[in-house]
Amino acid sequence: MSTVPAIRITAPYIGMLMLSAFLDLFGLHNRFLVDLELAHKASFSAVSPYLGILSGMLWITGAGFWIYFILKILPAIIGRTNLNRRLLRTIGLLATVQFLDNLLLIFIDTMNTSIKSYHLLMEGILLYFMIGFIFVFWYWFFDYPSRSIGLSTDVQAKVNRISFPEEMGSSVNNWQPGLLDYFFLAMVAGINLGIAEGHSLMGSRLKVAHLFHTLCMSAIFIIIVARAIDTMF
């Protein structure tokens, strides 16, 4: 198996990034209205310049994602041309930066405006799915190359690989994880703030990615969900 995945394998994970970007755009309308209210209230405060910079960056990163997708990714999908890892890494980073920018804007809005609890809960749910879709891509991105090499003793310390429960079955030969397996891993990790039971991570890149995933979800729970509960009383 080549470390450059076939386009039919890559397409569903690109679709996960597109879903995350769509959710970003879906939230932009509410964010824009809240940002206007916040900008009016904080026009002479220290937060206003940062709000303008982050709002501008959100539009720039969002536009950058879709422009890159249209110019680089879409032609490959239409022409059934395999995408190299550099292209995949770039589109993944663009989606991740867009999400982080949106997350910071939501945190600023949450701390400086009066938002109803159900709006906050909806924001939390949207962020949960957005980051989940992004990490479906990243878990697959780091895990896929290891599927083309054996896990002999001399490469175990260097390889990035996810161990799935299905691989432990003695009757399963040459089993390969699919979109549902990575989706389950990412969504459960977002809820548990830890790796799903029966799964394990091997390699520094996967561990760093999972740590980053956990930190983002912890921030969402602490800042947004806690604020939503507080507004109920």
Side-chain angles (χ1 to χ4, degrees), residues 120-211:
L120 288 168
L121 291 174
M122 286 302 298
E123 291 288 358
I125 292 171
L126 281 175
L127 288 170
Y128 166 71
F129 279 103
M130 286 161 58
I131 194 172
F133 293 151
I134 288 174
F135 275 91
V136 169
F137 171 85
W138 284 120
Y139 288 137
W140 166 80
F141 178 82
F142 290 124
D143 180 63
Y144 184 84
S146 70
R147 302 290 161 180
S148 63
I149 61 176
L151 285 183
S152 56
T153 305
D154 58 331
V155 301
Q156 284 186 5
K158 301 178 181 179
V159 74
N160 290 278
R161 187 182 177 98
I162 301 173
S163 176
F164 292 89
E166 288 82 354
E167 294 176 295
M168 305 300 177
S170 58
S171 60
V172 179
N173 294 320
N174 298 322
W175 180 86
Q176 294 293 328
L179 177 64
L180 181 60
D181 300 291
Y182 293 108
F183 183 81
F184 174 83
L185 174 66
M187 304 311 285
V188 173
I191 290 292
N192 291 346
L193 301 181
I195 197 69
E197 184 177 358
H199 299 69
S200 62
L201 304 179
M202 182 186 301
S204 59
R205 292 182 180 179
L206 273 169
K207 290 177 181 177
V208 170
H210 180 65
L211 178 62

Side-chain angles (χ1 to χ4, degrees), residues 5-181:
I7 192 63
R8 62 180 177 82
I9 296 175
T10 305
Y13 302 97
I14 296 295
M16 291 289 101
L17 296 180
M18 292 174 65
L19 282 174
S20 177
F22 271 125
L23 288 176
D24 259 321
L25 293 176
F26 175 78
L28 280 181
H29 179 66
N30 291 332
R31 296 271 58 74
F32 180 71
L33 294 179
V34 174
D35 288 343
L36 283 179
E37 179 185 356
L38 177 57
H40 177 72
K41 291 182 177 179
S43 57
F44 298 99
S45 72
V47 74
S48 185
Y50 299 105
L51 180 66
I53 293 172
L54 289 172
S55 298
M57 285 181 59
L58 183 61
W59 287 101
I60 292 172
T61 54
F65 174 89
W66 290 108
I67 291 172
Y68 192 85
F69 173 80
I70 292 171
L71 295 180
K72 296 290 187 179
I73 306 299
L74 188 59
I77 295 175
I78 295 174
R80 298 182 180 273
T81 304
N82 295 345
L83 293 166
N84 61 47
R85 289 182 63 78
R86 180 181 61 82
L87 293 175
L88 292 173
R89 184 185 298 109
T90 302
I91 194 72
L93 288 173
L94 287 172
T96 304
V97 171
Q98 182 185 9
F99 167 79
L100 291 176
D101 197 343
N102 195 26
L103 185 64
L104 286 174
L105 275 173
I106 292 173
F107 285 171
I108 293 174
D109 294 340
T110 301
M111 294 296 102
N112 291 274
T113 58
S114 177
I115 306 176
K116 295 181 179 180
S117 59
Y118 68 86
H119 284 156
L120 288 168
L121 291 174
M122 286 302 298
E123 291 288 358
I125 292 171
L126 281 175
L127 288 170
Y128 166 71
F129 279 103
M130 286 161 58
I131 194 172
F133 293 151
I134 288 174
F135 275 91
V136 169
F137 171 85
W138 284 120
Y139 288 137
W140 166 80
F141 178 82
F142 290 124
D143 180 63
Y144 184 84
S146 70
R147 302 290 161 180
S148 63
I149 61 176
L151 285 183
S152 56
T153 305
D154 58 331
V155 301
Q156 284 186 5
K158 301 178 181 179
V159 74
N160 290 278
R161 187 182 177 98
I162 301 173
S163 176
F164 292 89
E166 288 82 354
E167 294 176 295
M168 305 300 177
S170 58
S171 60
V172 179
N173 294 320
N174 298 322
W175 180 86
Q176 294 293 328
L179 177 64
L180 181 60
D181 300 291

